[in-house]
Amino acid sequence: TPVATFRGYAEMLWSGALTHQQVKDIYRGASGNATNCGAVRLLTMGSPSVAPGTPTLALPNAFGFGFGLLQADLVDEFLLYFFTVATHGYTQGTWTSPASANLADRDQAPDAFSAAAVTVAPVNLKWLLVFDEPVTMTLWIGKAVPREWLSPGGAPVVVTGATTRYGRVGFTLHTAVDGAGYRIVANVTLPVSVTASSPKGGLRLRLRAPTAYAGGLSKVVVGGEVWSSVNAAEETIDFAAADLTSDRVLHGLPMIVASFIPPAANMEAGEPHTLAHSQ
C-alpha cells in the first residue's frame, strides 16, 4: 500500500533512533529517487508535502524532519528544508503560518492558521545554531550555519541565551580577511556549571566557511594555545568533556581564532588540505 503522508517518517526522524544510513534512505525514497522499491515522492523542494506528488507543503506534520536531518549531519538537505519552509510557509515579515501552502500556485489560498506550524522555523533555526545530539551526548555549536553567513566582512553571527540540556549558551562568530588570510574569530560562552556536568560527547564548534575556504581550516588557537583537536574535513574544532575545564571555559572558549587557506592553494603547494585529528 503506497504511503499517503510523510508524517510517520518525520516522527521516526524526530525519535533520534535512526542510523545515518536509514535517514539517507528515507530522504532518497521520499524524494522520488527509489521507485524500484515502491516509494512515492513525498518531498517538494526538500520539504514534506501534504500528499504524494503534490506541491503543497505540510508544515506542522513534519516537525521532526529537520531534527533527523541534522542528527545525520545532512546539512545541505536540512538547509534546503529550512529555507523552503521559512520562505514559503510564513507570511513574510511575521510569524504567521498556515497548516499548509501551495508552492506551485501562489494564488491558491493557504490552509487555516496553525499555532503548531508557527514553531517550525524558529525551532529549526535554533537547531542549526545550537544542537544537542541525543545519542552521543555532544553539544554542537554552529552545526548548520549557512556558509553565506560567514562571508568575509559580513555581519557577525550572534547567539545569546540559547537553551541546552547543559544550561544557556551563546556564541559570536566574526570574519576577517587581511594579509594573514581568511579568519573566523569565535567567542563561545558556556555556563560555569558545564565543568561539573559536561556533555559526555564533548563540544563541537563547526565553522562553515565560504565555499572558497571550505575544508581549508589550517590553524586554530584557543585562548592563546594552539589547538590540535581539529577536523578540517568536517569543519569542526573539538573539545572532549575532559577539555572543558573551568579555565578553558572562562578564558579559552571566548578567544578562538581559526585560520583558513583555500584548499586549492594547499593542493598547489603539495600539502594535504585537511588538518584531521578527529576524535
Side-chain angles (χ1 to χ4, degrees):
T1 303
V3 177
T5 174
F6 190 81
R7 182 168 186 168
Y9 291 121
E11 291 172 352
M12 286 193 290
L13 268 67
W14 175 237
S15 73
L18 300 183
T19 65
H20 175 83
Q21 188 59 50
Q22 287 171 331
V23 175
K24 288 182 66 176
D25 289 344
I26 289 174
Y27 190 91
R28 179 171 177 267
S31 298
N33 295 323
T35 54
N36 59 321
C37 63
V40 293
R41 185 179 182 88
L42 290 166
L43 299 180
T44 299
M45 291 179 61
S47 184
S49 305
V50 295
T54 67
T56 302
L57 298 183
L59 296 168
N61 290 353
F63 188 81
F65 183 50
F67 184 91
L69 293 178
L70 264 191
Q71 186 187 11
D73 212 20
L74 299 177
V75 174
D76 289 339
E77 291 84 349
F78 171 86
L79 289 175
L80 174 60
Y81 163 65
F82 170 70
F83 283 111
T84 296
V85 169
T87 302
H88 300 286
Y90 288 77
T91 299
Q92 294 303 292
T94 77
W95 291 115
T96 306
S97 178
S100 62
N102 192 318
L103 286 177
D105 184 1
R106 304 305 289 166
D107 292 327
Q108 178 181 323
D111 204 346
F113 170 80
S114 169
V118 169
T119 67
V120 174
V123 169
N124 279 272
L125 175 61
K126 187 260 187 177
W127 286 337
L128 76 84
L129 295 166
V130 179
F131 186 73
D132 282 306
E133 213 295 332
V135 176
T136 63
M137 304 292 283
T138 301
L139 177 59
W140 280 86
I141 302 293
K143 185 169 190 178
V145 169
R147 296 190 186 279
E148 291 78 6
W149 293 7
L150 294 176
S151 296
V157 177
V158 180
V159 174
T160 59
T163 56
T164 74
R165 68 181 66 190
Y166 311 101
R168 292 185 178 272
V169 306
F171 67 92
T172 303
L173 304 178
H174 290 271
T175 63
V177 175
D178 52 28
Y182 173 79
R183 290 176 291 117
I184 298 176
V185 179
N187 178 337
V188 177
T189 305
L190 302 182
V192 177
S193 59
V194 79
T195 61
S197 181
S198 301
K200 294 180 180 179
L203 171 74
R204 302 196 79 181
L205 169 64
R206 172 168 278 163
L207 302 176
R208 300 186 74 242
T211 303
Y213 297 94
L217 184 57
S218 60
K219 181 180 180 181
V220 175
V221 177
V222 178
E225 171 191 2
V226 175
W227 194 255
S228 62
S229 294
V230 176
N231 188 322
E234 296 188 7
E235 304 178 283
T236 61
I237 303 170
D238 302 324
F239 301 89
D243 294 328
L244 299 176
T245 62
S246 296
D247 182 67
R248 185 161 289 120
V249 168
L250 293 173
H251 307 293
L253 297 185
M255 300 174 58
I256 301 174
V257 180
S259 301
F260 293 76
I261 297 175
N266 280 333
M267 296 299 288
E268 291 172 3
E271 301 175 357
H273 71 276
T274 55
L275 175 63
H277 298 273
S278 54
Q279 298 181 1

